[in-house]
Amino acid sequence: MNSADIATVKTLLAKPQKIVIIPHKNPDGDAIGSCLGLAKFLEALGQNPVIIAPNDYPKFLKWIPGNEGILNFERENSQSKRLIEAASLIFTLDFNHLSRTGQMESFLEAATAKFIMIDHHQQPSDYALVTYSDVSMSSTCEMVYNFIDYLEGVPDITKDIATSLYVGIMTDTGSFKYASTTSQTHRVVANLIDKGAENMQIHQNVFDNNTPARLHLLGVALNNLVILEQFKTAYITMSQEELDRHNYSKGDTEGFVNYGLTLEGIIFAVIFIENREEGIIKISFRSIGGFSVNEFAREHFNGGGHTNAAGGRSDITMEETTIRFVKLLEKYKDKLTQ
């Protein structure tokens, strides 16, 4: 953030605002953690923010302090619409296009509130009065920490704020193993631990909560793994029938795509998941090194994200999608095998 943006934010927050905070659809740990961390900080400034999530999110995030106050736009639709219409200030966290909010998009476009965007994804749109965008950052939670620092609020970070931000940094860095994890990221995390974040307990709450159904579902995913050595690529397919047979709950396939990258010689991993209700194949892309899955997803699968982690979608069948995907790899063979 530059000095002008910081001054603008300080002026806005110097008086009471009707604040709404919004993560992207299907919010993950970084989205929920950043929203809850920011909300607790704004409360300390005397504001009364409300978080509205576009839809539900995984159970393994629902222990984070303040979670009980999050509204679900799909369930609490009328109340959510009223709050958006009445808002004077809207924070959008961990996304940079309003289309990432699903059914909320049209209501946000019609809102009269001023917008503040905090996000680390590539190619942000220009809907916000203040745009804090930095693709080099490990996570939106690290950016919220910096946002708090710009407002001279780091000394006042509580255990609840520290816990929320730690969750997002931990999950979006793959437990601090991704290239986006910098020495500054570790300094931020160290300070969050000093502020009360219990790192071991947080890790257990997020990762050590498997159910038998989820482990059986992982077995199905690994059994469906296809390895394309000539393209240094591996992909997984999961049909709606397979999800239903194993009592799928939101978040159960989190991290499955990364198993492909644990294979020797594989630098590109993908998971294709059928969503019959939406009539799409949801796709997650991961890579190691310089192969940009962000560019791949934007070019071919109506998606985007980061260089090494992105998402997309397909409106054709699973079989048609995977056939198309494999054919596309021919075009990228030089980049994948160099």
Side-chain angles (χ1 to χ4, degrees):
M1 290 177 69
N2 58 41
S3 57
D5 285 341
I6 295 169
T8 297
V9 173
K10 287 182 175 180
T11 299
L12 288 171
L13 295 179
K15 57 184 180 181
Q17 300 278 357
K18 294 180 179 179
I19 298 177
V20 170
I21 304 173
I22 298 173
H24 55 75
K25 185 179 179 181
N26 300 319
D28 55 9
D30 193 26
I32 294 298
S34 60
C35 286
L36 287 170
L38 177 64
K40 290 291 185 181
F41 172 68
L42 294 175
E43 288 173 4
L45 296 181
Q47 302 289 346
N48 188 29
V50 177
I51 301 171
I52 305 175
N55 61 344
D56 201 8
Y57 48 93
K59 181 180 178 182
F60 62 76
L61 298 174
K62 293 185 176 179
W63 60 271
I64 305 173
N67 162 79
E68 66 282 353
I70 297 177
L71 297 179
N72 181 321
F73 184 81
E74 291 184 344
R75 283 201 306 260
E76 291 120 342
N77 190 261
S78 297
Q79 182 183 4
S80 297
K81 289 177 183 177
R82 287 196 300 270
L83 288 166
I84 292 170
E85 290 171 357
S88 59
L89 186 60
I90 296 177
F91 284 85
T92 61
L93 269 56
D94 202 35
F95 68 95
N96 57 26
H97 290 268
L98 295 180
S99 61
R100 292 283 282 111
T101 61
Q103 296 177 15
M104 296 179 71
E105 180 181 6
S106 61
F107 299 99
L108 293 174
E109 289 177 337
T112 58
K114 296 179 174 65
F115 282 78
I116 296 176
M117 176 205 300
I118 304 177
D119 179 66
H120 66 137
H121 296 88
Q122 297 179 9
Q123 298 174 277
S125 55
D126 60 357
Y127 61 80
L129 173 66
V130 174
T131 296
Y132 176 25
S133 174
D134 189 341
V135 299
S136 70
M137 284 286 169
S138 71
S139 56
T140 298
C141 277
E142 184 175 350
M143 297 180 73
V144 169
Y145 178 94
N146 291 343
F147 179 85
I148 293 171
D149 194 17
Y150 291 136
L151 300 183
E152 302 170 355
V154 168
D156 301 317
I157 288 178
T158 63
K159 179 178 180 178
D160 284 354
I161 295 172
T163 297
S164 299
L165 299 185
Y166 189 101
V167 169
I169 297 173
M170 178 188 72
T171 54
D172 242 36
T173 59
S175 296
F176 314 104
K177 69 183 179 184
Y178 296 157
S180 59
T181 308
T182 65
S183 58
Q184 178 59 22
T185 305
H186 284 292
R187 281 188 280 270
V188 169
V189 165
N191 199 24
L192 294 177
I193 292 173
D194 289 343
K195 295 289 186 179
E198 299 179 15
N199 54 313
M200 185 177 74
Q201 186 62 55
I202 292 170
H203 191 281
Q204 290 177 343
N205 289 348
V206 172
F207 295 115
D208 298 344
N209 60 354
N210 280 318
T211 62
R214 183 176 187 271
L215 288 183
H216 290 149
L217 192 62
L218 174 59
V220 172
L222 295 179
N223 189 59
N224 292 350
L225 179 70
V226 176
I227 302 169
L228 304 172
E229 293 183 0
Q230 69 274 33
F231 301 118
K232 296 187 176 180
T233 296
Y235 71 87
I236 292 169
T237 59
M238 303 218 70
S239 70
Q240 186 69 61
E241 189 276 330
E242 288 169 328
L243 298 174
D244 293 343
R245 184 163 16 105
H246 293 87
N247 301 310
Y248 169 79
S249 295
K250 187 176 287 290
D252 278 355
T253 58
E254 187 81 19
F256 284 11
V257 64
N258 296 315
Y259 281 90
L261 293 180
T262 66
L263 293 166
E264 184 178 1
I266 298 300
I267 67 166
F268 186 21
V270 185
I271 187 167
F272 301 94
I273 302 175
E274 184 180 11
N275 186 318
R276 196 170 294 156
E277 182 180 353
E278 296 185 27
I280 63 171
I281 306 298
K282 297 179 67 176
I283 313 171
S284 292
F285 303 95
R286 298 292 185 271
S287 68
I288 296 172
F291 182 72
S292 176
V293 294
N294 172 61
E295 294 178 8
F296 187 89
R298 286 182 182 277
E299 180 72 19
H300 303 292
F301 290 100
N302 302 302
H306 305 289
T307 298
N308 298 121
R313 57 182 286 168
S314 171
D315 298 321
I316 54 180
T317 67
M318 179 72 80
E319 182 180 7
E320 291 169 328
T321 299
T322 53
I323 289 173
R324 177 170 177 255
F325 171 72
V326 174
K327 287 182 178 178
L328 284 170
L329 293 178
E330 288 285 354
K331 178 180 176 181
Y332 291 88
K333 187 171 184 178
D334 289 345
K335 290 183 178 180
L336 288 165
T337 58
Q338 64 185 5

